[in-house]
Amino acid sequence: MCWASGSARRPGSSPGCRATRSAVVVVLRDGALEPTTILATVAAATRHLGLIGTLSTTFNDPVELAERLLTLDHLSDGRASWNAVTTYNPAAAGNFGLTTTPDRATRYRRAGEFVDAVLGLWRAAVAGRDFTHRGEFFDIAGRLPLAASPQGHPLIVQAGGSPQGRELAGRTANAVFTAEMTLGFNLMPDAFPQGLEIFVDEVVPILRRRGLFRYEYTERTLRERFGIGPVATHAAA
């Protein structure tokens, strides 16, 4: 099971994930709350729930975001992942002193460099060495003040359906969520939290009897649950 929380920096949006391998995804639609704060609270109250935070590459800073999500991965004992998205809402741009958002091509060039920088910082944390990056949008030198998490570092997931989003997913993502996927369950409670309680109490037992949902989790981290191998560190420096 995974809990998906959307970025508060995309006013009016309804972020989240569509489906997972053998997982239930809860999509939180309240865009007023900062997702990593929500997920840290959920992590403290759960032991097995996967935590997927939707955070934008358009206005965030890669070093700050990398540290924030790696911290969440430590707090959750290796259950965190990041749904990397771009932001096109002009209202969000105003929160950062801008009058408009970058065009699509610029947003996705920044997104690609942003994800590469975050992965580089995480892999450097796993390897215990500094990371250096010089690019069109970011210049980074140093390392995060954190060691590797129990799963190495958070996973990368992608829900974008555009050609640019699919290219980014194919190059960087550990998991892809699309409306066309039929594996897993896409859960959107009509009334929260009552709708979730009804699903857990009445629907999950039916799924278990039919062999469609597990009784217990044997994997310790989200990486293990997704069947993903150890973290690669070759791109850290």
Side-chain angles (χ1 to χ4, degrees), residues 26 57 69 93 108 187 208:
V26 177
T57 62
L69 286 173
Y108 275 96
L187 176 60
R208 284 174 169 167

Side-chain angles (χ1 to χ4, degrees), residues 13 22 37 76 96 105 122 133 143 168 191 194-195 206 209 228 237:
S13 65
S22 303
T37 304
S76 64
F96 295 87
W122 286 343
H133 171 86
R143 69 176 73 181
L168 180 62
Q194 292 88 351
I206 296 173
R209 287 197 299 271
I228 299 170

Side-chain angles (χ1 to χ4, degrees), residues 25-181:
V25 175
V26 177
V27 178
L28 183 64
R29 289 183 172 275
D30 188 346
L33 303 177
E34 197 283 315
T36 49
T37 304
I38 298 169
L39 294 178
T41 302
V42 174
T46 60
R47 290 184 300 165
H48 304 294
L49 199 67
L51 309 170
I52 303 174
T54 298
L55 296 158
S56 176
T57 62
T58 304
F59 299 118
N60 280 299
D61 176 83
V63 177
E64 188 278 331
L65 186 142
E67 182 178 355
R68 193 177 357 148
L69 286 173
L70 186 55
T71 298
L72 176 64
D73 212 25
H74 277 282
L75 292 175
S76 64
D77 291 325
R79 293 182 284 138
S81 61
W82 172 34
N83 177 27
V85 299
T86 65
T87 300
Y88 59 87
N89 191 330
N95 294 332
F96 295 87
L98 302 175
T99 58
T100 185
T101 55
D103 60 70
R104 176 183 288 270
T106 303
R107 290 200 308 271
Y108 275 96
R109 287 203 315 275
R110 177 184 169 96
E113 185 178 337
F114 193 112
V115 174
D116 288 342
V118 169
L119 281 172
L121 286 161
W122 286 343
R123 289 166 177 164
V126 173
R129 59 176 182 255
D130 288 347
F131 170 71
T132 301
H133 171 86
R134 297 287 183 267
E136 178 183 0
F137 299 97
F138 310 109
D139 290 335
I140 301 170
R143 69 176 73 181
L144 298 174
L146 294 166
S149 69
Q151 68 172 347
H153 62 67
L155 303 185
I156 300 285
V157 303
Q158 253 285 330
S162 68
Q164 297 95 328
R166 291 195 296 269
E167 188 279 330
L168 180 62
R171 188 171 62 81
T172 65
N174 300 114
V176 177
F177 302 92
T178 71
E180 293 77 20
M181 290 181 65

